[in-house]
Amino acid sequence: MRAITEERVGAETSFRLTVPNDKAPAVRKMLEGMMVLMGESSLMLSFDDVEPDLPPGPMLKRLRKENGFSQKALAEKLGTNQVRVSDMEQGVRAIPPELAMKMAEVFGVSAKFFMP
């Protein structure tokens, strides 16, 4: 972790973590696990101010692999087929906005990670 800041407002405290992009999925999973142990059902994470460090296709491939999805499994979640996922990862086919939004939900990141 590179930095952590804390802000208290009333009865709640917000934390902001700065971590390398390649570690973010692991940190997120750990935080989600901690929230479950604390009896909380949801974790509010914001990725709006994070800039993607890869073009959309390679970012899709990286997030897919980090989250343990095959192309086929991801295609099923997105309502498309494996060939289309492969084409988007390779940059053969652009990622349409409606799929970018679905991908953002699946991976818990901003849709801008999948936009040129």
Side-chain angles (χ1 to χ4, degrees):
M1 188 172 352
R2 293 192 178 145
I4 186 169
T5 58
E6 181 178 335
E7 179 182 334
R8 294 176 189 219
V9 179
E12 294 193 352
T13 302
S14 297
F15 294 95
R16 180 181 175 98
L17 304 171
T18 304
V19 298
N21 285 336
D22 63 326
K23 304 291 186 210
V27 170
R28 179 188 176 100
K29 285 180 183 178
M30 290 177 65
L31 290 171
E32 288 172 340
M34 289 173 48
M35 295 299 287
V36 168
L37 290 173
M38 293 170 40
E40 299 294 327
S41 60
S42 64
L43 176 63
M44 297 289 290
L45 295 176
S46 172
F47 292 92
D48 293 336
D49 56 349
V50 175
E51 289 297 323
D53 61 346
L54 292 172
M59 178 59 73
L60 172 58
K61 183 174 184 176
R62 176 171 146 189
L63 288 170
R64 176 182 60 79
K65 287 185 171 194
E66 286 176 355
N67 285 273
F69 291 117
S70 66
Q71 286 181 342
K72 183 178 179 180
L74 179 59
E76 290 173 5
K77 282 192 163 293
L78 299 175
T80 189
N81 60 55
Q82 180 271 325
V83 172
R84 190 168 188 192
V85 171
S86 176
D87 286 350
M88 289 184 295
E89 287 183 355
Q90 294 174 35
V92 172
R93 183 184 295 225
I95 300 172
E98 64 274 5
L99 279 181
M101 296 299 291
K102 287 181 182 179
M103 290 173 193
E105 288 180 34
V106 168
F107 297 119
V109 299
S110 170
K112 72 181 178 182
F113 276 59
F114 308 108
M115 303 291 198

